[in-house]
Amino acid sequence: MLARAWTDRRIRHLREMAGVAGKSAGEPVIASMGSTAPPNVEEPFFIRDHIVCDGAQVTRPSIDPYREPVSTYVYLPGLGIRLSQPLILTVYPEYPPPVARAFVRAAYNHGLLVYIRGRRLEDYVGGYAERILADISYLGAAGGFWTVSDSLDTHPQILLQPSKASHEYVSSAGFQNVCGVIVDEDAYGSDTPIEVSVSLLDRTLKQRGLRDRVALIASSRHVRGSDDIFKLVGLGADAVSIGDAAVIAADCLEHQLDEDTIYERVENLILAIQKEVKLLAGAAGVSRIFSTLVGNRELFRSIGLRSDLRLMLGVKQAGVG
Amino acid sequence: MDEIPHVKSGCGILGIMRRPGSEKVHASETLTSIECVRYRGSRLGAGFAVYDLERAGSPLKLKAFVDSDETVEKISEALHGMDILVEPLGFDSKPMNGFTSWTAYIESSPDNVRRAVNSVNHHLLRDGFKGRIYSWGRFLEVFKAVGYPSDVYGLYGLDEGDVCGDLWLAHTRQPTNSPGVYPIWSHPFASYEVSIVHNGDVSSFGANMEFLRYRGFESFVGTDSEVAAYTLDYLTSVEGVSLVEAASLMAGLYDDIDVAKAVKYRGVCLDGPYSILAGYCDGEDLYLLAVADTMKFRPLVVGYDDERIYAASEEAEIRSLSEKARVWPVKPGGIFLASLKRGIILSGREHVECFYGPYCRHPTPSNAIDATGMSYSMVNALLRKLFQEGVREVALKNVNGHRYLGINMPPDSRLHIYGTAGNCLANFNKHGEIYVYGNAQDDVGDAMYGGRVVIHGDARDVVGQALQGGAIFVRGSVGNRAAIQMREFRDRRPCLVVGGRADDFLGEYMAGGVVMVLGVDALDVEDVRLAGQYVASGMVGGRIYIRGYLEPWRIGLNPPAADIIQYLRGLALEGLVGWDTVEELSNMIHIMYEDLAGLLPGKALKRISKLYRNKYYRELRVNYRNLDYEDLRLVGPILSEFFSQFHLDSRLQQELISRKFTVVEPVGAGPVLEKPEE
């Protein structure tokens, strides 16, 4: 069922943005005059497909991001780092070395972070370390940020957590050294959709007064593009990690491509996603992602979700209140 | 239930504070002023807030809307239960849509009362619409209801007692996102000594609510003003942040400067369109605060005369009380702050003295028609009738905010407007000449395609939008988004000439015609810029002349310098750029493509150009230069006409055209001139 979430339309959309297809690399794709979006037009696969965003209206004009300012940057609290947009690239263990290197360079150059998972770091990453997240067992002397699965009590660290409805670890003693949490939907033990997990964790951190020193990162192989990123940020994530979406966009697994080609495609994708995020924000009258969008569940409404799920998401039903 | 009106407008807001040594501000003054923009509101809500510094020794005054005696009892009991002394004063309003306003003196610490109010309101809302505590200040009292401001006045008997104070806020409401059938949705909203009226629809509402929800505020009726009032009260009273800093945080001015503050106060910033007025008392002094959103999507003017300091949606509100007040608009993202004891602390923009002169009274002709007491539709009907009867010259006096004047002028006609022309002057107009002896409000000459408008004062926001023929001459300054989407067609080349300066987005999407910004009164003033930022953003045709130097970062839309620096560092890691170059650029606040073009090798420049370009990118040619022969052929006649219209000295004209101008036009799409005759 999850593989079906990568519809032909989505794959084509990503590839046009990356410059693999079409004629406007690095640009949002003009899809249609109306909506092509789930749940009413396309088949919904995930909870986020049932969430829609409040658009601009007469009293709240839309912002044209090509001529007017829309800031996409976010600061990651706890990490003290600025991302040019709420995006992180993840290098999964099976990605070949040229893909990994292209991701590292693209993330660095565009002021993002790259999360290198389950693999030893190569020598070249030294210069890029300040923009790297890596598993503590592999990070070694390179620098960057540590990710751990259980909080230690020694060093600022980023906690990698499966996507669950309960976030009781936030109250544990070791949590005081945690400067960020990655909610990973693909991790062993995940039993809750990432939308729910992220929204609950955002509010749990706020209740404990920890939100301004702990970054919240959403990670899933099934983040399919700007719409998913925008929605997960609105549900509470400071940044959203993509991996497979970039690999699919660059069409670089089945074909043997050199690092520079992959880099260029990923760069195009990053620029296009930023523009799409700006368009989405502008359409909702939002000019600042960091302060206005993150955790602004009020901008969203749900279509066809059960009331208990809506309550956990903190998202109201469309057409009601 | 009230019928929802068909004519949609924006809310009207007003603030009036007395200056030291002046008499207190009477309720009747406030009413006169806010009722003059009655058409901005509806029957669905209005209200007033009044502050009096002399109430220093008195107890806190709590005010609540209640639906029954039972609810009064419930509130009293709950307050008692939280160690608050309650001395009931009874009802102070007539019943309105099932609710009546009930008041009591209370004694306790502000922190405790804040908690109690939140708890009581939470329960009242949860139990159905039982009532709501809407004000509990020592210096502040709120009067609000369903209706127009005049209805509120009557419902609270403000006309009977001589209610007066040091500072008043007023609001007339056009409901958008929360309904208006009960008085709990009316404005102002208040928390302790903070009260708020606003016009707008903030997109950050959910984020603002999130900020408050974990800081002791959990009961909301769902209105922007309410979250703004809670936020300002929380920041000033609980966090101890100064009023100016709190306003800066709410306006988002810290966002890219102080990361720690941006993170700590994430959710405080208001986004989307708004203009906000706040009243505040710190126990020692009273403050009137006015904030405009960074894109300036809502009107906001401020001003003063000898007795009063004003802030309003429309200049007409101020003029209804003071003909001689000096008035100016708050700039995009601007903060205006005045206090009872210190006067104007922040003026909401730079160089007010230079660009917004004292009011200049023009003698009115004896045959002028008096617009006093006439609605804009009456005035326009009369004008139409006169023009139909063949009259070709009409003078109107005491014009004050009358809208839609001069929108259907017959050929060879003249309209003389004495006073303040209201919104939408000369919209879609084709013929005739319109003279304004005074200032004009927003949206002058929208889609005008012929004729002439001559304004002897200032014009506010969006002057000359989609202007496609004819000329607009403004002796003073213009506001935000002047000449946007201005265009030309064959021999129809419109022009806008501004004697003062312009704010942001001058010539956005401009596709033709000529814009000149002259700053004639600032020829020898240093350090002034005659335009704001985002000038010519999305411009595709025509030409803009701005006297003096305009930094390149003010033109168009540019990527954040932080992103450019980061990309350069990446290029340095790849060996395409030297680290010394990165270092050199790191301290710059704005990095333009032109800055890089001279520094980077070709390959690096090509790579980084992706951050500046997009598929809608249109290269602009920007020159800081003297006017040449071609320029003078294009603008010489226009300038001569401008100078003669306003009886300005021709030597000044000579001086002006000898100065350098910043000239902006799209590459390959500037104005084309016919060849001069041999």
Side-chain angles (χ1 to χ4, degrees):
Chain A
M1 121 79 174
L2 293 182
R4 281 184 29 241
W6 296 100
T7 58
D8 289 347
R9 183 190 67 81
R10 282 191 176 272
I11 291 171
R12 167 124 193 125
H13 188 111
L14 287 168
R15 290 190 176 157
E16 283 189 27
M17 295 201 294
V20 176
K23 285 182 181 151
S24 46
E27 296 292 338
V29 179
I30 295 171
S32 83
M33 289 292 283
S35 171
T36 56
N40 291 335
V41 181
E42 267 194 359
E43 185 186 352
F45 294 97
F46 304 111
I47 285 182
R48 54 186 174 277
D49 291 341
H50 292 270
I51 293 174
V52 293
C53 183
D54 200 5
Q57 41 186 309
V58 177
T59 53
R60 189 201 297 162
S62 58
I63 304 164
D64 164 8
Y66 287 98
R67 288 100 186 170
E68 295 165 351
V70 174
S71 327
T72 56
Y73 69 81
V74 290
Y75 299 115
L76 293 187
L79 277 68
I81 198 165
R82 176 192 191 274
L83 307 187
S84 66
Q85 56 174 313
L87 181 65
I88 290 173
L89 302 181
T90 296
V91 178
Y92 287 99
E94 75 275 16
Y95 293 179
V99 174
R101 285 198 294 270
F103 273 34
V104 170
R105 277 170 59 204
Y108 183 93
N109 292 356
H110 288 276
L112 311 175
L113 283 170
V114 62
Y115 181 18
I116 302 176
R117 298 190 60 168
R119 61 200 284 162
R120 195 163 293 284
L121 301 189
E122 297 176 56
D123 292 341
Y124 73 91
V125 303
Y128 296 96
E130 64 191 83
R131 294 272 166 181
I132 289 176
L133 304 175
D135 304 335
I136 189 165
S137 49
Y138 294 109
L139 193 62
F145 298 96
W146 293 4
T147 64
V148 294
S149 299
D150 286 303
S151 43
L152 311 167
D153 53 4
T154 49
H155 191 281
Q157 55 204 292
I158 297 160
L159 201 58
L160 185 64
Q161 284 290 314
S163 182
K164 291 175 99 60
S166 160
H167 296 284
E168 78 279 358
Y169 57 87
V170 168
S171 318
S172 70
F175 198 76
Q176 60 181 324
N177 291 311
V178 170
C179 61
V181 178
I182 300 175
V183 176
D184 180 12
E185 199 179 32
D186 312 310
Y188 178 76
S190 288
D191 57 12
T192 303
I194 190 159
E195 299 87 348
V196 172
S197 188
V198 161
S199 185
L200 287 171
L201 179 56
D202 177 46
R203 283 172 285 163
T204 304
L205 290 170
K206 281 174 178 161
Q207 266 155 15
R208 307 282 153 88
L210 296 170
R211 192 63 181 88
D212 58 5
R213 63 174 191 80
V214 176
L216 201 173
I217 297 161
S219 174
S220 165
R221 284 185 185 252
H222 291 96
V223 173
R224 298 158 299 174
S226 325
D227 50 347
D228 287 355
I229 293 167
F230 191 84
K231 288 173 186 177
L232 287 167
V233 169
L235 288 169
D238 291 307
V240 178
S241 159
I242 61 165
D244 290 1
V247 162
I248 289 169
D251 197 14
C252 58
L253 277 193
E254 287 154 33
H255 306 94
Q256 294 261 319
L257 297 173
D258 63 83
E259 182 193 321
D260 282 349
T261 306
I262 302 170
Y263 169 86
E264 201 185 332
R265 291 176 175 186
V266 173
E267 179 170 272
N268 288 337
L269 180 72
I270 290 170
L271 289 167
I273 287 178
Q274 183 177 29
K275 286 172 195 153
E276 284 197 334
V277 166
K278 283 185 182 186
L279 284 166
L280 289 167
V286 168
S287 73
R288 298 174 169 96
I289 297 295
F290 174 71
S291 59
T292 304
L293 184 64
V294 181
N296 189 347
R297 285 164 280 262
E298 181 67 25
L299 273 183
F300 295 152
R301 292 292 184 272
S302 66
I303 297 173
L305 288 184
R306 291 196 318 268
S307 64
D308 56 334
L309 210 47
R310 291 202 304 268
L311 204 64
M312 285 203 284
L313 287 165
V315 173
K316 291 176 188 162
Q317 189 175 1
V320 182
Chain B
M1 194 187 286
D2 281 344
E3 176 197 345
I4 295 174
H6 292 297
V7 182
K8 286 286 179 189
S9 185
C11 301
I13 58 178
L14 170 72
I16 308 175
M17 184 159 68
R18 76 176 174 93
R19 298 185 71 184
S22 304
E23 172 182 348
K24 290 202 186 228
V25 184
H26 294 263
S28 55
E29 288 177 60
T30 313
L31 182 71
T32 303
S33 181
I34 192 73
E35 274 291 323
C36 118
V37 290
R38 189 179 171 93
Y39 45 77
R40 293 188 73 86
S42 70
R43 275 178 289 173
L44 297 177
F48 302 91
V50 56
Y51 288 83
D52 194 336
L53 205 51
E54 281 173 14
R55 291 190 196 146
S58 57
L60 293 168
K61 189 172 192 180
L62 179 134
K63 305 190 73 173
F65 290 122
V66 293
D67 65 343
S68 60
D69 291 343
E70 195 189 332
T71 302
V72 172
E73 235 162 77
K74 217 184 241 176
I75 293 174
S76 304
E77 265 172 37
L79 294 173
H80 277 302
M82 293 187 77
D83 297 326
I84 295 170
L85 290 176
V86 181
E87 190 195 326
L89 296 167
F91 298 103
D92 73 335
S93 81
K94 291 171 193 159
M96 41 196 163
N97 288 21
F99 287 92
T100 313
S101 173
W102 175 80
T103 65
Y105 280 136
I106 56 167
E107 283 290 0
S108 188
S109 74
D111 286 346
N112 190 39
V113 179
R114 197 177 284 109
R115 263 194 303 275
V117 166
N118 174 67
S119 162
V120 169
N121 282 344
H122 180 68
H123 287 104
L124 289 173
L125 212 56
R126 193 197 53 188
D127 300 341
F129 277 91
K130 292 283 170 202
R132 193 164 181 87
I133 298 171
Y134 64 90
S135 157
W136 53 278
R138 195 181 311 281
F139 301 92
L140 160 72
E141 182 158 9
V142 172
F143 305 96
K144 60 182 183 178
V146 179
Y148 281 103
S150 55
D151 301 326
V152 180
Y153 202 67
L155 282 164
Y156 284 89
L158 296 178
D159 45 348
E160 291 154 21
D162 188 22
V163 181
C164 55
D166 299 316
L167 165 63
W168 283 83
L169 298 186
H171 187 263
T172 183
R173 182 159 191 243
Q174 192 72 248
T176 51
N177 282 347
S178 63
V181 286
Y182 297 131
I184 62 165
W185 283 304
S186 299
H187 300 48
F189 279 85
S191 184
Y192 193 32
E193 304 297 359
V194 168
S195 62
I196 297 274
V197 289
H198 108 297
N199 168 208
D201 180 2
V202 304
S203 56
S204 59
F205 177 73
N208 306 138
M209 218 162 47
E210 279 288 298
F211 176 85
L212 293 164
R213 196 170 270 150
Y214 300 96
R215 288 166 175 83
F217 299 89
E218 49 179 346
S219 179
F220 303 97
V221 298
T223 291
D224 300 338
S225 294
E226 184 182 40
V227 292
Y230 289 167
T231 304
L232 193 56
D233 179 32
Y234 173 81
L235 290 174
T236 51
S237 299
V238 182
E239 291 267 327
V241 172
S242 78
L243 186 59
V244 173
E245 196 178 336
S248 305
L249 286 166
M250 291 173 77
L253 304 185
Y254 279 105
D255 272 18
D256 226 357
I257 300 168
D258 189 330
V259 179
K261 266 195 189 132
V263 170
K264 183 176 180 191
Y265 295 114
R266 169 156 62 174
V268 161
C269 172
L270 302 172
D271 199 351
Y274 63 84
S275 48
I276 267 195
L277 300 184
Y280 173 68
C281 181
D282 61 8
E284 304 286 320
D285 203 352
L286 274 176
Y287 298 86
L288 171 61
L289 173 75
V291 184
D293 74 74
T294 49
M295 308 275 273
K296 188 78 190 300
F297 274 135
R298 288 293 183 274
L300 184 57
V301 289
V302 292
Y304 66 91
D305 58 19
D306 294 339
E307 276 105 40
R308 306 277 186 253
I309 292 171
Y310 307 93
S313 293
E314 296 189 19
E315 181 174 335
E317 295 167 70
I318 300 176
R319 294 278 171 239
S320 70
L321 299 179
S322 170
E323 190 185 24
K324 62 181 196 290
R326 179 181 281 219
V327 175
W328 64 93
V330 174
K331 74 169 181 180
I335 296 175
F336 171 88
L337 180 66
S339 99
L340 182 62
K341 292 180 177 168
R342 291 160 66 196
I344 293 173
I345 300 164
L346 299 172
S347 59
R349 68 181 311 118
E350 294 82 27
H351 304 296
V352 168
E353 297 298 313
C354 181
F355 292 108
Y356 295 92
Y359 185 69
C360 172
R361 193 173 206 286
H362 296 264
T364 49
S366 55
N367 64 346
I369 297 164
D370 192 346
T372 309
M374 290 168 81
S375 71
Y376 63 76
S377 41
M378 285 163 71
V379 172
N380 280 308
L382 180 64
L383 282 176
R384 193 166 56 239
K385 183 167 158 277
L386 288 170
F387 284 135
Q388 269 167 4
E389 285 166 1
V391 177
R392 282 296 167 265
E393 186 144 4
V394 180
L396 286 173
K397 67 177 180 183
N398 297 321
V399 170
N400 195 32
H402 293 80
R403 294 179 165 190
Y404 312 113
L405 294 174
I407 56 174
N408 200 6
M409 302 270 292
D412 306 319
S413 59
R414 285 206 177 95
L415 174 63
H416 302 271
I417 296 169
Y418 294 84
T420 302
N423 293 2
C424 309
L425 175 74
N427 280 199
F428 299 96
N429 191 41
K430 187 175 182 184
H431 302 291
E433 294 169 9
I434 298 166
Y435 298 88
V436 179
Y437 305 93
N439 298 332
Q441 295 186 167
D442 296 335
D443 207 24
V444 172
D446 191 335
M448 174 174 127
Y449 57 109
R452 174 169 303 169
V453 177
V454 179
I455 298 168
H456 284 257
D458 303 317
R460 305 292 175 221
D461 296 341
V462 277
V463 55
Q465 166 171 227
L467 181 65
Q468 45 203 315
I472 299 177
F473 294 146
V474 182
R475 173 64 185 85
S477 294
V478 296
N480 213 29
R481 290 179 204 261
I484 66 173
Q485 300 179 352
M486 187 165 155
R487 70 279 304 264
E488 64 184 62
F489 180 66
R490 292 188 179 155
D491 60 335
R492 216 183 272 163
R493 177 177 288 156
C495 70
L496 168 68
V497 186
V498 178
R501 76 180 298 283
D503 284 338
D504 297 355
F505 295 107
L506 172 69
E508 186 188 21
Y509 304 105
M510 184 168 158
V514 177
V515 172
M516 298 198 81
V517 183
L518 306 176
V520 285
D521 304 311
L523 275 172
D524 301 313
V525 187
E526 286 181 20
D527 282 342
V528 294
R529 295 291 175 262
L530 296 185
Q533 51 185 339
Y534 312 116
V535 170
S537 189
M539 181 181 185
V540 295
R543 194 181 283 168
I544 302 175
Y545 293 88
I546 299 163
R547 187 186 58 73
Y549 181 67
L550 201 65
E551 301 92 328
W553 65 264
R554 292 178 185 272
I555 297 165
L557 181 64
N558 298 289
D563 295 352
I564 300 300
I565 294 295
Q566 182 64 29
Y567 201 91
L568 285 168
R569 297 179 68 203
L571 292 174
L573 280 176
E574 293 176 37
L576 292 172
V577 175
W579 283 103
D580 50 335
T581 308
V582 180
E583 202 63 39
E584 194 183 323
L585 291 161
S586 288
N587 298 323
M588 291 171 61
I589 301 167
H590 307 282
I591 305 175
M592 311 299 299
Y593 183 76
E594 292 68 30
D595 298 327
L596 300 175
L599 281 171
L600 306 191
K603 195 177 170 193
L605 188 64
K606 186 162 179 264
R607 288 267 303 272
I608 205 165
S609 69
K610 279 188 174 182
L611 273 67
Y612 288 90
R613 305 281 158 89
N614 59 59
K615 70 173 166 184
Y616 301 109
Y617 178 82
R618 186 75 184 260
E619 197 180 342
L620 295 175
R621 184 187 300 127
V622 182
N623 282 309
Y624 178 53
R625 58 173 171 80
N626 285 109
L627 301 183
D628 59 20
Y629 173 68
E630 285 284 296
D631 292 315
L632 289 174
R633 276 188 62 215
L634 183 68
V635 303
I638 302 172
L639 271 179
S640 297
E641 178 134 23
F642 180 89
F643 272 73
S644 92
Q645 282 290 355
F646 297 117
H647 311 294
L648 292 164
D649 197 327
S650 61
R651 277 168 303 183
L652 185 65
Q653 186 180 346
Q654 287 312 311
E655 171 66 27
L656 189 90
I657 58 175
S658 73
R659 298 292 182 99
K660 283 171 113 175
F661 281 75
T662 301
V663 184
V664 187
E665 64 189 320
V667 170
V672 181
L673 283 167
E674 281 169 31
K675 285 223 168 73
E677 286 170 32
E678 294 295 322

